[in-house]
Amino acid sequence: RVRVRGLSIYRPIIYGNTAVVLTPEEREAHPSREHTHRWTVAVRSAASAEDSDIVGGADDLGYFIRRVTFKLHETYPNPSRNVDKPPFEVTETGWGEFEIQIRITFIPEAAEKPIILYHHLKLHPWTASGADTEAPPPAEVAVQLGPVHSWQYDEIVFTDPFQQFLNTLTAH
Ligand code: SLL
């Protein structure tokens, strides 16, 4: 097992969420929990984004990522959600925005420490008058505005990778 000194290799990702307003029927399914939105938080490859739409490319991160753990707000049952294969995502319903910790664990041959990203779950669309302190728009208005998207681009950089891991990365 040898490291390839002086070399860096990166893989582009996007992470973030989409959110939609629940229909009245869906809201009635769990009235006591006062859920207003369905959302999906995800980590996706940005490498093949041209093949796809706004939420990113094919789910081809599984060849170097072993697990993604999404740590939700403690109001959720089992807030630490492990996803061990693509798509690396969690879909839930809820009523509030909060910060999600996203822990990415690599395959053993990488011999890399996990990395941690943070994403602020976004449910409410920006409005024309939109100060951050303003109350979110009422449900009818939010529905008209359509799904909310909040995504960030990033690059996972491996410095001095092991030769075997480098081979795995470049074979894809
Ligand atoms: C807020 N600080 O007050 C945030 C917390 C928590 C959101 C938001 C669902 C919980 C459940 C849920 O939406 N939690 O169903 O038990 O805005």
Side-chain angles (χ1 to χ4, degrees):
R1 289 166 58 73
V2 289
R3 286 189 178 275
V4 184
R5 302 274 174 200
L7 187 125
S8 282
I9 182 167
Y10 74 92
R11 286 294 173 264
I13 58 164
I14 59 167
Y15 63 98
N17 79 279
T18 62
V20 293
V21 175
L22 294 181
T23 64
E25 297 73 37
E26 289 173 315
R27 295 185 65 150
E28 275 161 32
H30 303 283
S32 61
R33 295 175 72 193
E34 299 184 325
H35 288 188
T36 52
H37 292 75
R38 171 174 294 101
W39 49 260
T40 298
V41 59
V43 179
R44 305 200 195 285
S45 172
S48 48
E50 66 272 15
D51 298 336
S52 174
D53 63 11
I54 185 167
V55 294
D59 292 310
D60 57 356
L61 297 173
Y63 68 94
F64 72 97
I65 291 178
R66 180 166 77 161
R67 163 175 286 181
V68 178
T69 303
F70 298 91
K71 200 168 166 206
L72 310 183
H73 194 264
E74 59 265 25
T75 49
Y76 281 90
N78 312 311
S80 239
R81 307 288 176 87
N82 293 323
V83 183
D84 290 336
K85 57 177 171 24
F88 295 111
E89 63 181 33
V90 168
T91 298
E92 265 292 357
T93 60
W95 49 263
E97 299 186 343
F98 57 92
E99 183 153 85
I100 300 179
Q101 188 198 85
I102 303 172
R103 185 175 201 264
I104 300 177
T105 307
F106 301 103
I107 58 173
E109 75 180 51
E112 295 278 347
K113 290 192 190 109
I115 61 168
I116 295 184
L117 306 170
Y118 293 91
H119 174 68
H120 186 87
L121 178 70
K122 189 165 158 56
L123 301 183
H124 306 300
W126 302 106
T127 52
S129 55
D132 264 356
T133 50
E134 205 170 302
E140 317 85 72
V141 177
V143 168
Q144 300 256 303
L145 290 167
V148 168
H149 292 274
S150 177
W151 296 94
Q152 296 177 72
Y153 176 84
D154 208 341
E155 290 164 355
I156 302 177
V157 181
F158 302 103
T159 301
D160 302 339
F162 280 102
Q163 180 68 61
Q164 194 190 340
F165 183 52
L166 180 61
N167 294 347
T168 298
L169 287 175
T170 54
H172 279 78

